[in-house]
Amino acid sequence: MQLRQPESLEAATAALGNGSRALAGGTELVPLLRSRLVEADTLVDVRAVVPRGVQGTTIGAGTMLAELESDPEIPAALREACALAASPQLRSMGTIGGNLLQATRCWYWRLNYPCFLHGGSVCHAREGAHRDHAIFGNERCASAHPSDPAAALLALGATLRTDRRSFPVGDLYRLPTEDDRDVTALEAGELILELDVPRPEASTYLKAMERNRFSFALVGVAAVRTGDATRIALAGVAPIPWLLSGPEELDRATPLPGTAYKVDLARPLVRRALEALG
Ligand SMILES: Cc1cc2nc3c(=O)[nH]c(=O)nc-3n(C[C@H](O)[C@H](O)[C@H](O)COP(=O)(O)OP(=O)(O)OC[C@H]3O[C@@H](n4cnc5c(N)ncnc54)[C@H](O)[C@@H]3O)c2cc1C
Ligand code: SF4
């Protein structure tokens, strides 16, 4: 395997695609390479070319989660989502760009079962062990999206800028279909460069976990108020971050037998998050 360390964006984008992968903090990619869930002949270290840091409402995709959790200029929902993600060590290596593109934690997928998301015909979790899995959008793949910051950014109405285009963070994600098993809409070799995150009047992120530290969300709730408008987005409930039209949408959840408890977890979390907005 080759490691490239380009010094310009042009050189980085030229090196991406054709069997290569972008490498930022490596906290997600390196374990996936080790377990052969990702194959790559070249790693392109993008840390010198992807912007890092915060300027006004713009966040460089190379900014570490640890930098975001301690910056008072960052909206509370995103700050709190970063602070509740992973461990301090991982947050000081892991970037926000890499976090948005992390793969599912579904144990069948991580053990390389030939499931629907790996291109097969069945979702093993639906019939098997699925306690951590989805309550929405789970018809074909019942995985639960693991990113806390993604739910916060969805509720905040953030926009992504890549080396090719700009689009709302909600458009980064898609439910897998028969024809396309990917859960993101990024093109091959496309680099996320920056996020534009509007400043709301109030926002918060609440997270239910197995442990108080270093645990993926059973349910994460981001709530954001701007003027009369309120947006709610959930982590850990669907194969992608889930924009909730309102608390009543929880009545229309489609939990599996082992995930019905997540609906009961989400209700008070959503209520508390909305109360916190004032
Ligand atoms: C044990 C553990 C616990 C965790 N717990 C949580 C948690 O509770 N909540 C949570 O939200 N997250 C959690 N995470 C995920 C963690 O936050 C991510 O691993 C980290 O943010 C990824 O960032 P990175 O820079 O290391 O990405 P990398 O590993 O370098 O890359 C990840 C992916 O993104 C791609 N990529 C990276 N940067 C770019 C870019 N700029 N443009 C295009 N593609 C890019 C890479 O090619 C790769 O596919 C956990 C991770 C671990 C290992
Ligand atoms: S939940 Fe998704 S990733 Fe897990 S076994 Fe089912 S199809 Fe595969």
Side-chain angles (χ1 to χ4, degrees):
M1 187 185 290
Q2 285 194 335
L3 176 67
R4 299 241 175 121
Q5 295 181 296
E7 287 175 7
S8 71
L9 183 58
E10 293 69 29
T13 51
L16 283 168
N18 296 327
S20 66
R21 292 292 289 237
L23 175 76
T27 60
E28 164 77 347
L29 184 59
V30 172
L32 292 179
L33 288 163
R34 278 206 190 116
S35 49
R36 299 196 181 278
L37 285 162
V38 169
E39 302 278 352
D41 50 34
T42 306
L43 298 184
V44 182
D45 182 343
V46 296
R47 284 176 296 181
V49 301
V50 169
R52 175 178 172 185
V54 181
Q55 277 210 316
T57 59
T58 303
I59 298 174
T63 311
M64 312 305 169
L65 301 187
E67 293 169 315
L68 296 174
E69 78 183 76
S70 57
D71 187 333
E73 295 301 310
I74 298 295
L78 181 57
R79 242 188 307 121
E80 292 162 6
C82 291
L84 288 167
S87 64
Q89 291 90 340
L90 285 161
R91 298 199 297 271
S92 66
M93 283 296 288
T95 61
I96 185 73
N99 180 282
L100 296 182
L101 296 173
Q102 62 181 295
T104 176
R105 307 307 295 192
C106 171
W107 36 71
Y108 294 103
W109 190 89
R110 294 259 163 183
L111 291 170
N112 218 354
Y113 275 61
C115 70
F116 182 82
L117 209 60
H118 273 309
S121 54
V122 293
C123 169
H124 299 289
R126 287 188 67 88
E127 299 301 322
H130 57 239
R131 190 180 177 276
D132 287 357
H133 286 63
I135 57 172
F136 287 111
N138 50 8
E139 201 176 302
R140 293 190 169 92
C141 166
S143 64
H145 201 271
S147 170
D148 300 296
L153 289 165
L154 183 59
L156 286 159
T159 304
L160 292 183
R161 186 173 74 78
T162 74
D163 59 316
R164 300 170 199 183
R165 56 196 170 129
S166 293
F167 53 90
V169 73
D171 290 354
L172 176 63
Y173 300 105
R174 53 183 299 285
L175 287 172
T177 61
E178 284 296 333
D179 302 332
D180 188 345
R181 307 296 166 95
D182 214 337
V183 293
T184 71
L186 221 56
E187 295 166 5
E190 186 171 9
L191 264 185
I192 302 177
L193 298 179
E194 288 177 337
L195 298 94
D196 189 62
V197 183
R199 297 269 169 82
E201 279 157 31
S203 71
T204 191
Y205 186 76
L206 303 178
K207 179 175 178 180
M209 330 178 225
E210 295 278 7
R211 300 180 299 264
N212 271 346
R213 288 282 177 274
F214 196 17
S215 208
F216 285 97
L218 295 172
V219 178
V221 177
V224 173
R225 178 169 57 76
T226 309
D228 291 338
T230 302
R231 279 167 67 96
I232 307 166
L234 307 184
V237 302
I240 57 176
W242 199 255
L243 193 63
L244 199 72
S245 54
E248 64 288 347
E249 194 185 340
L250 289 168
D251 298 336
R252 301 192 292 278
T254 55
L256 303 172
T259 62
Y261 78 97
K262 284 198 176 186
V263 181
D264 298 331
L265 262 185
R267 285 188 205 285
L269 275 189
V270 168
R271 192 180 61 242
R272 279 170 46 200
L274 292 175
E275 282 168 6
L277 298 183

